[in-house]
Amino acid sequence: MTDASALPGQPRGQVLSGPATERAVNVLAPNASAMTLDGTNTWIVAEPDSELAVVIDPGPLDDTHLSAVVDMAEKAGKRIALTLLTHGHPDHAEGAARFAELTGTRVRALDPALRLGDEGLAAGDVITVGGLELRVVPTPGHTADSLCFHLPADRAVLTGDTILGRGTTVVAHPDGRLGDYLDSLRRLRSLTVDDGVHTVLPGHGPVLEDAQGAVEFYLAHRAHRLAQVETAVEDGRRTAGEVVAHVYADVDRSLWPAAELSVRAQLDYLSEHGLIQPM
């Protein structure tokens, strides 16, 4: 068995519902798959001595899961006062409207189509609920509307799908763009260097204890894949499918459709920077 401390980001281990930091509790959704790993992590975040809590990414439209989130908060003596979304993919956001009905909360998101209430989210916003402070960090790339939430008191960042607890994420072309994603990773790296963030609370997979190591791994992985794609094109691969079959030959074929989205984003990036001819 591989020592977790030797893996990128130092994953904590098994993904479970329960406390992850002093202020963050995970409720694992029952939607495990090749793309969602163990399932969606729905985060309840609150100050320990406050009666008010924030929920980030209610997850899929599954009443059993949504009720479990409410029950977890209530058992801790908390009332859910606000719902936030990292992005609009269904495994994170599909249950948000129903969750708002159950809790009477507003839903704040970057995408106006996902909001319930007048307030959205924007870069630099600071959200305060019951003494809790969350800072909005724009991290487009996986999707155009992707956000992360910096939790300074726990020296943690909630990353949605921008950084996962295991493996790497998809740049979901055409909505996701590789250049944006690389900028977002650098923005997260600055949180680890300048703001002391050391814990990643991801949208899927285990908690990561080494945030800077995780970001550096992601940046190195993207650079490596980009070089592989550029070489594949130079060697005569002329379609995204041909590039995927070559570059991702050792990856489970069930993941090739997702890989093709990332390859298309990489091809666009290489073309925009004049490194290959448009395909």
Side-chain angles (χ1 to χ4, degrees):
M1 182 177 293
T2 303
D3 180 2
S5 66
L7 296 173
Q10 296 182 20
R12 188 170 290 178
Q14 188 176 4
V15 183
L16 298 170
S17 294
T21 67
E22 186 177 4
R23 292 166 180 81
V25 174
N26 182 33
V27 184
L28 182 63
N31 62 335
S33 73
M35 292 301 296
T36 61
L37 305 182
D38 310 85
T40 300
N41 295 329
T42 294
W43 293 102
I44 303 171
V45 189
E47 282 297 317
D49 58 355
S50 174
E51 296 179 356
L52 301 179
V54 175
V55 164
I56 298 172
D57 289 350
L61 183 54
D62 181 319
D63 269 3
T64 300
H65 171 64
L66 300 177
S67 296
V69 176
V70 176
D71 290 346
M72 182 78 81
E74 290 180 347
K75 287 176 181 176
K78 311 290 185 186
R79 177 176 66 83
I80 297 165
L82 180 64
T83 301
L84 304 175
L85 299 177
T86 61
H87 65 297
H89 279 168
D91 55 314
H92 294 257
E94 186 183 34
R98 174 61 177 150
F99 190 70
E101 291 179 3
L102 293 172
T103 59
T105 60
R106 296 165 294 143
V107 177
R108 295 180 64 180
L110 179 61
D111 184 349
L114 300 171
R115 300 172 189 168
L116 291 174
D118 296 331
E119 289 186 281
L121 293 171
D125 282 354
V126 178
I127 298 160
T128 55
V129 174
L132 178 78
E133 179 182 297
L134 288 167
R135 300 175 185 173
V136 178
V137 183
T139 51
H142 170 64
T143 61
D145 70 330
S146 287
L147 298 170
C148 292
F149 298 99
H150 177 199
L151 178 55
D154 281 350
R155 297 171 64 192
V157 61
L158 297 107
T159 55
D161 282 354
T162 299
I163 292 180
L164 304 177
R166 185 170 66 250
T168 56
T169 199
V170 174
V171 178
H173 175 87
D175 184 44
R177 295 177 58 83
L178 181 58
D180 290 343
Y181 186 65
L182 295 174
D183 288 342
S184 294
L185 290 176
R186 296 182 189 109
R187 192 170 296 118
L188 291 175
R189 180 170 58 187
S190 74
L191 285 182
T192 71
V193 174
D194 300 330
D195 295 280
V197 166
H198 62 69
T199 302
V200 172
L201 304 175
H204 304 281
V207 172
L208 300 177
E209 304 282 8
D210 177 15
Q212 185 172 353
V215 175
E216 296 292 357
F217 169 75
Y218 266 60
L219 284 166
H221 172 79
R222 286 295 166 193
H224 177 64
R225 283 296 194 212
L226 199 58
Q228 287 181 308
V229 170
E230 184 177 3
T231 298
V233 173
E234 290 173 350
D235 289 345
R237 275 82 184 183
R238 288 290 172 258
T239 68
E242 290 174 352
V243 173
V244 169
H246 177 70
V247 173
Y248 291 82
D250 59 344
V251 173
D252 188 325
R253 287 194 175 219
S254 68
L255 299 175
W256 280 16
E260 185 167 335
L261 296 179
S262 284
V263 164
R264 290 184 182 279
Q266 291 163 342
L267 292 172
D268 279 359
Y269 180 89
L270 291 168
S271 176
E272 290 165 3
H273 287 77
L275 299 171
I276 62 170
Q277 293 297 314
M279 296 177 65

PDB file of all heavy atoms in Angstrom, residues 99-125:
ATOM      1  N   PHE A  99     -32.736  22.045  -1.837  1.00  0.00           N
ATOM      2  CA  PHE A  99     -32.106  22.292  -0.544  1.00  0.00           C
ATOM      3  C   PHE A  99     -32.546  23.647   0.011  1.00  0.00           C
ATOM      4  O   PHE A  99     -32.783  23.788   1.216  1.00  0.00           O
ATOM      5  CB  PHE A  99     -30.585  22.246  -0.682  1.00  0.00           C
ATOM      6  CG  PHE A  99     -29.845  22.245   0.623  1.00  0.00           C
ATOM      7  CD1 PHE A  99     -29.884  21.145   1.461  1.00  0.00           C
ATOM      8  CD2 PHE A  99     -29.105  23.348   1.012  1.00  0.00           C
ATOM      9  CE1 PHE A  99     -29.207  21.136   2.674  1.00  0.00           C
ATOM     10  CE2 PHE A  99     -28.422  23.353   2.217  1.00  0.00           C
ATOM     11  CZ  PHE A  99     -28.473  22.245   3.054  1.00  0.00           C
ATOM     12  N   ALA A 100     -32.681  24.627  -0.868  1.00  0.00           N
ATOM     13  CA  ALA A 100     -33.161  25.942  -0.441  1.00  0.00           C
ATOM     14  C   ALA A 100     -34.578  25.849   0.112  1.00  0.00           C
ATOM     15  O   ALA A 100     -34.929  26.534   1.085  1.00  0.00           O
ATOM     16  CB  ALA A 100     -33.101  26.926  -1.608  1.00  0.00           C
ATOM     17  N   GLU A 101     -35.398  24.993  -0.506  1.00  0.00           N
ATOM     18  CA  GLU A 101     -36.752  24.779   0.014  1.00  0.00           C
ATOM     19  C   GLU A 101     -36.712  24.165   1.422  1.00  0.00           C
ATOM     20  O   GLU A 101     -37.479  24.566   2.309  1.00  0.00           O
ATOM     21  CB  GLU A 101     -37.536  23.849  -0.907  1.00  0.00           C
ATOM     22  CG  GLU A 101     -37.901  24.430  -2.259  1.00  0.00           C
ATOM     23  CD  GLU A 101     -38.650  23.417  -3.113  1.00  0.00           C
ATOM     24  OE1 GLU A 101     -38.913  22.298  -2.616  1.00  0.00           O
ATOM     25  OE2 GLU A 101     -38.960  23.742  -4.269  1.00  0.00           O
ATOM     26  N   LEU A 102     -35.836  23.201   1.604  1.00  0.00           N
ATOM     27  CA  LEU A 102     -35.757  22.511   2.891  1.00  0.00           C
ATOM     28  C   LEU A 102     -35.246  23.413   4.002  1.00  0.00           C
ATOM     29  O   LEU A 102     -35.626  23.245   5.171  1.00  0.00           O
ATOM     30  CB  LEU A 102     -34.842  21.287   2.772  1.00  0.00           C
ATOM     31  CG  LEU A 102     -35.328  20.131   1.890  1.00  0.00           C
ATOM     32  CD1 LEU A 102     -34.223  19.091   1.730  1.00  0.00           C
ATOM     33  CD2 LEU A 102     -36.583  19.498   2.478  1.00  0.00           C
ATOM     34  N   THR A 103     -34.379  24.347   3.654  1.00  0.00           N
ATOM     35  CA  THR A 103     -33.692  25.152   4.668  1.00  0.00           C
ATOM     36  C   THR A 103     -34.130  26.611   4.709  1.00  0.00           C
ATOM     37  O   THR A 103     -33.783  27.326   5.655  1.00  0.00           O
ATOM     38  CB  THR A 103     -32.170  25.114   4.421  1.00  0.00           C
ATOM     39  OG1 THR A 103     -31.894  25.629   3.099  1.00  0.00           O
ATOM     40  CG2 THR A 103     -31.633  23.695   4.533  1.00  0.00           C
ATOM     41  N   GLY A 104     -34.844  27.056   3.675  1.00  0.00           N
ATOM     42  CA  GLY A 104     -35.232  28.464   3.615  1.00  0.00           C
ATOM     43  C   GLY A 104     -34.074  29.397   3.366  1.00  0.00           C
ATOM     44  O   GLY A 104     -34.116  30.583   3.739  1.00  0.00           O
ATOM     45  N   THR A 105     -33.031  28.900   2.715  1.00  0.00           N
ATOM     46  CA  THR A 105     -31.842  29.715   2.480  1.00  0.00           C
ATOM     47  C   THR A 105     -31.817  30.295   1.071  1.00  0.00           C
ATOM     48  O   THR A 105     -32.478  29.802   0.158  1.00  0.00           O
ATOM     49  CB  THR A 105     -30.557  28.880   2.660  1.00  0.00           C
ATOM     50  OG1 THR A 105     -30.573  27.782   1.726  1.00  0.00           O
ATOM     51  CG2 THR A 105     -30.444  28.338   4.065  1.00  0.00           C
ATOM     52  N   ARG A 106     -31.022  31.332   0.928  1.00  0.00           N
ATOM     53  CA  ARG A 106     -30.675  31.826  -0.397  1.00  0.00           C
ATOM     54  C   ARG A 106     -29.572  30.929  -0.973  1.00  0.00           C
ATOM     55  O   ARG A 106     -28.857  30.267  -0.234  1.00  0.00           O
ATOM     56  CB  ARG A 106     -30.148  33.259  -0.314  1.00  0.00           C
ATOM     57  CG  ARG A 106     -31.153  34.291   0.171  1.00  0.00           C
ATOM     58  CD  ARG A 106     -30.438  35.565   0.567  1.00  0.00           C
ATOM     59  NE  ARG A 106     -29.583  35.351   1.727  1.00  0.00           N
ATOM     60  CZ  ARG A 106     -28.388  35.922   1.908  1.00  0.00           C
ATOM     61  NH1 ARG A 106     -27.882  36.718   0.985  1.00  0.00           N
ATOM     62  NH2 ARG A 106     -27.684  35.676   2.985  1.00  0.00           N
ATOM     63  N   VAL A 107     -29.446  30.951  -2.287  1.00  0.00           N
ATOM     64  CA  VAL A 107     -28.354  30.260  -2.966  1.00  0.00           C
ATOM     65  C   VAL A 107     -27.537  31.304  -3.713  1.00  0.00           C
ATOM     66  O   VAL A 107     -28.070  32.018  -4.575  1.00  0.00           O
ATOM     67  CB  VAL A 107     -28.871  29.199  -3.958  1.00  0.00           C
ATOM     68  CG1 VAL A 107     -27.703  28.543  -4.699  1.00  0.00           C
ATOM     69  CG2 VAL A 107     -29.704  28.143  -3.237  1.00  0.00           C
ATOM     70  N   ARG A 108     -26.274  31.402  -3.371  1.00  0.00           N
ATOM     71  CA  ARG A 108     -25.390  32.357  -4.032  1.00  0.00           C
ATOM     72  C   ARG A 108     -24.403  31.599  -4.918  1.00  0.00           C
ATOM     73  O   ARG A 108     -23.841  30.576  -4.519  1.00  0.00           O
ATOM     74  CB  ARG A 108     -24.642  33.218  -3.019  1.00  0.00           C
ATOM     75  CG  ARG A 108     -25.562  34.115  -2.199  1.00  0.00           C
ATOM     76  CD  ARG A 108     -24.801  34.961  -1.198  1.00  0.00           C
ATOM     77  NE  ARG A 108     -23.896  35.900  -1.849  1.00  0.00           N
ATOM     78  CZ  ARG A 108     -23.113  36.763  -1.183  1.00  0.00           C
ATOM     79  NH1 ARG A 108     -23.147  36.784   0.156  1.00  0.00           N
ATOM     80  NH2 ARG A 108     -22.314  37.577  -1.834  1.00  0.00           N
ATOM     81  N   ALA A 109     -24.211  32.099  -6.138  1.00  0.00           N
ATOM     82  CA  ALA A 109     -23.319  31.476  -7.119  1.00  0.00           C
ATOM     83  C   ALA A 109     -22.825  32.555  -8.054  1.00  0.00           C
ATOM     84  O   ALA A 109     -23.386  33.661  -8.126  1.00  0.00           O
ATOM     85  CB  ALA A 109     -24.067  30.394  -7.901  1.00  0.00           C
ATOM     86  N   LEU A 110     -21.781  32.249  -8.818  1.00  0.00           N
ATOM     87  CA  LEU A 110     -21.298  33.195  -9.813  1.00  0.00           C
ATOM     88  C   LEU A 110     -22.282  33.302 -10.970  1.00  0.00           C
ATOM     89  O   LEU A 110     -22.567  34.399 -11.462  1.00  0.00           O
ATOM     90  CB  LEU A 110     -19.923  32.749 -10.320  1.00  0.00           C
ATOM     91  CG  LEU A 110     -19.277  33.625 -11.396  1.00  0.00           C
ATOM     92  CD1 LEU A 110     -19.040  35.041 -10.878  1.00  0.00           C
ATOM     93  CD2 LEU A 110     -17.956  33.011 -11.860  1.00  0.00           C
ATOM     94  N   ASP A 111     -22.822  32.188 -11.416  1.00  0.00           N
ATOM     95  CA  ASP A 111     -23.754  32.151 -12.539  1.00  0.00           C
ATOM     96  C   ASP A 111     -25.140  32.615 -12.074  1.00  0.00           C
ATOM     97  O   ASP A 111     -25.751  31.979 -11.211  1.00  0.00           O
ATOM     98  CB  ASP A 111     -23.829  30.726 -13.086  1.00  0.00           C
ATOM     99  CG  ASP A 111     -24.700  30.616 -14.333  1.00  0.00           C
ATOM    100  OD1 ASP A 111     -25.414  31.576 -14.671  1.00  0.00           O
ATOM    101  OD2 ASP A 111     -24.652  29.542 -14.972  1.00  0.00           O
ATOM    102  N   PRO A 112     -25.660  33.703 -12.647  1.00  0.00           N
ATOM    103  CA  PRO A 112     -26.981  34.182 -12.222  1.00  0.00           C
ATOM    104  C   PRO A 112     -28.075  33.135 -12.351  1.00  0.00           C
ATOM    105  O   PRO A 112     -29.047  33.144 -11.578  1.00  0.00           O
ATOM    106  CB  PRO A 112     -27.239  35.369 -13.163  1.00  0.00           C
ATOM    107  CG  PRO A 112     -25.888  35.836 -13.578  1.00  0.00           C
ATOM    108  CD  PRO A 112     -25.047  34.591 -13.653  1.00  0.00           C
ATOM    109  N   ALA A 113     -27.948  32.213 -13.304  1.00  0.00           N
ATOM    110  CA  ALA A 113     -28.981  31.196 -13.513  1.00  0.00           C
ATOM    111  C   ALA A 113     -29.083  30.234 -12.335  1.00  0.00           C
ATOM    112  O   ALA A 113     -30.102  29.545 -12.191  1.00  0.00           O
ATOM    113  CB  ALA A 113     -28.697  30.426 -14.800  1.00  0.00           C
ATOM    114  N   LEU A 114     -28.067  30.172 -11.508  1.00  0.00           N
ATOM    115  CA  LEU A 114     -28.052  29.234 -10.386  1.00  0.00           C
ATOM    116  C   LEU A 114     -28.467  29.883  -9.070  1.00  0.00           C
ATOM    117  O   LEU A 114     -28.640  29.201  -8.064  1.00  0.00           O
ATOM    118  CB  LEU A 114     -26.649  28.641 -10.219  1.00  0.00           C
ATOM    119  CG  LEU A 114     -26.105  27.859 -11.407  1.00  0.00           C
ATOM    120  CD1 LEU A 114     -24.634  27.530 -11.185  1.00  0.00           C
ATOM    121  CD2 LEU A 114     -26.907  26.587 -11.624  1.00  0.00           C
ATOM    122  N   ARG A 115     -28.637  31.190  -9.059  1.00  0.00           N
ATOM    123  CA  ARG A 115     -28.903  31.908  -7.816  1.00  0.00           C
ATOM    124  C   ARG A 115     -30.379  31.831  -7.422  1.00  0.00           C
ATOM    125  O   ARG A 115     -31.256  31.828  -8.267  1.00  0.00           O
ATOM    126  CB  ARG A 115     -28.514  33.382  -7.972  1.00  0.00           C
ATOM    127  CG  ARG A 115     -27.060  33.612  -8.313  1.00  0.00           C
ATOM    128  CD  ARG A 115     -26.824  35.085  -8.630  1.00  0.00           C
ATOM    129  NE  ARG A 115     -25.479  35.298  -9.175  1.00  0.00           N
ATOM    130  CZ  ARG A 115     -25.075  36.426  -9.756  1.00  0.00           C
ATOM    131  NH1 ARG A 115     -25.932  37.447  -9.868  1.00  0.00           N
ATOM    132  NH2 ARG A 115     -23.861  36.529 -10.229  1.00  0.00           N
ATOM    133  N   LEU A 116     -30.604  31.812  -6.129  1.00  0.00           N
ATOM    134  CA  LEU A 116     -31.932  32.004  -5.560  1.00  0.00           C
ATOM    135  C   LEU A 116     -31.808  33.147  -4.560  1.00  0.00           C
ATOM    136  O   LEU A 116     -31.245  32.984  -3.481  1.00  0.00           O
ATOM    137  CB  LEU A 116     -32.435  30.736  -4.881  1.00  0.00           C
ATOM    138  CG  LEU A 116     -32.773  29.562  -5.820  1.00  0.00           C
ATOM    139  CD1 LEU A 116     -33.125  28.321  -5.012  1.00  0.00           C
ATOM    140  CD2 LEU A 116     -33.927  29.931  -6.743  1.00  0.00           C
ATOM    141  N   GLY A 117     -32.293  34.320  -4.969  1.00  0.00           N
ATOM    142  CA  GLY A 117     -32.075  35.535  -4.189  1.00  0.00           C
ATOM    143  C   GLY A 117     -31.368  36.562  -5.039  1.00  0.00           C
ATOM    144  O   GLY A 117     -30.964  36.290  -6.170  1.00  0.00           O
ATOM    145  N   ASP A 118     -31.187  37.736  -4.501  1.00  0.00           N
ATOM    146  CA  ASP A 118     -30.631  38.854  -5.271  1.00  0.00           C
ATOM    147  C   ASP A 118     -29.116  38.869  -5.317  1.00  0.00           C
ATOM    148  O   ASP A 118     -28.532  39.497  -6.192  1.00  0.00           O
ATOM    149  CB  ASP A 118     -31.123  40.189  -4.690  1.00  0.00           C
ATOM    150  CG  ASP A 118     -32.629  40.346  -4.802  1.00  0.00           C
ATOM    151  OD1 ASP A 118     -33.203  39.770  -5.746  1.00  0.00           O
ATOM    152  OD2 ASP A 118     -33.220  41.025  -3.933  1.00  0.00           O
ATOM    153  N   GLU A 119     -28.460  38.206  -4.368  1.00  0.00           N
ATOM    154  CA  GLU A 119     -27.006  38.311  -4.261  1.00  0.00           C
ATOM    155  C   GLU A 119     -26.304  37.190  -5.018  1.00  0.00           C
ATOM    156  O   GLU A 119     -26.671  36.015  -4.889  1.00  0.00           O
ATOM    157  CB  GLU A 119     -26.581  38.270  -2.798  1.00  0.00           C
ATOM    158  CG  GLU A 119     -26.932  39.511  -2.008  1.00  0.00           C
ATOM    159  CD  GLU A 119     -26.341  39.457  -0.609  1.00  0.00           C
ATOM    160  OE1 GLU A 119     -26.920  38.768   0.248  1.00  0.00           O
ATOM    161  OE2 GLU A 119     -25.304  40.098  -0.380  1.00  0.00           O
ATOM    162  N   GLY A 120     -25.277  37.565  -5.772  1.00  0.00           N
ATOM    163  CA  GLY A 120     -24.432  36.581  -6.414  1.00  0.00           C
ATOM    164  C   GLY A 120     -23.119  36.448  -5.674  1.00  0.00           C
ATOM    165  O   GLY A 120     -23.024  36.708  -4.470  1.00  0.00           O
ATOM    166  N   LEU A 121     -22.095  36.054  -6.398  1.00  0.00           N
ATOM    167  CA  LEU A 121     -20.750  35.955  -5.855  1.00  0.00           C
ATOM    168  C   LEU A 121     -19.797  36.555  -6.867  1.00  0.00           C
ATOM    169  O   LEU A 121     -19.988  36.399  -8.076  1.00  0.00           O
ATOM    170  CB  LEU A 121     -20.359  34.491  -5.590  1.00  0.00           C
ATOM    171  CG  LEU A 121     -21.114  33.770  -4.482  1.00  0.00           C
ATOM    172  CD1 LEU A 121     -20.779  32.279  -4.492  1.00  0.00           C
ATOM    173  CD2 LEU A 121     -20.787  34.372  -3.108  1.00  0.00           C
ATOM    174  N   ALA A 122     -18.764  37.216  -6.376  1.00  0.00           N
ATOM    175  CA  ALA A 122     -17.784  37.835  -7.263  1.00  0.00           C
ATOM    176  C   ALA A 122     -16.420  37.822  -6.595  1.00  0.00           C
ATOM    177  O   ALA A 122     -16.308  37.658  -5.370  1.00  0.00           O
ATOM    178  CB  ALA A 122     -18.190  39.273  -7.596  1.00  0.00           C
ATOM    179  N   ALA A 123     -15.389  37.980  -7.411  1.00  0.00           N
ATOM    180  CA  ALA A 123     -14.024  38.005  -6.894  1.00  0.00           C
ATOM    181  C   ALA A 123     -13.889  39.062  -5.810  1.00  0.00           C
ATOM    182  O   ALA A 123     -14.371  40.186  -5.946  1.00  0.00           O
ATOM    183  CB  ALA A 123     -13.051  38.311  -8.038  1.00  0.00           C
ATOM    184  N   GLY A 124     -13.250  38.660  -4.712  1.00  0.00           N
ATOM    185  CA  GLY A 124     -13.004  39.594  -3.633  1.00  0.00           C
ATOM    186  C   GLY A 124     -14.110  39.678  -2.601  1.00  0.00           C
ATOM    187  O   GLY A 124     -13.929  40.309  -1.551  1.00  0.00           O
ATOM    188  N   ASP A 125     -15.266  39.055  -2.877  1.00  0.00           N
ATOM    189  CA  ASP A 125     -16.342  39.060  -1.883  1.00  0.00           C
ATOM    190  C   ASP A 125     -15.883  38.352  -0.610  1.00  0.00           C
ATOM    191  O   ASP A 125     -15.183  37.328  -0.664  1.00  0.00           O
ATOM    192  CB  ASP A 125     -17.583  38.335  -2.412  1.00  0.00           C
ATOM    193  CG  ASP A 125     -18.398  39.170  -3.377  1.00  0.00           C
ATOM    194  OD1 ASP A 125     -18.061  40.364  -3.560  1.00  0.00           O
ATOM    195  OD2 ASP A 125     -19.358  38.624  -3.963  1.00  0.00           O
TER     196      ASP A 125
END
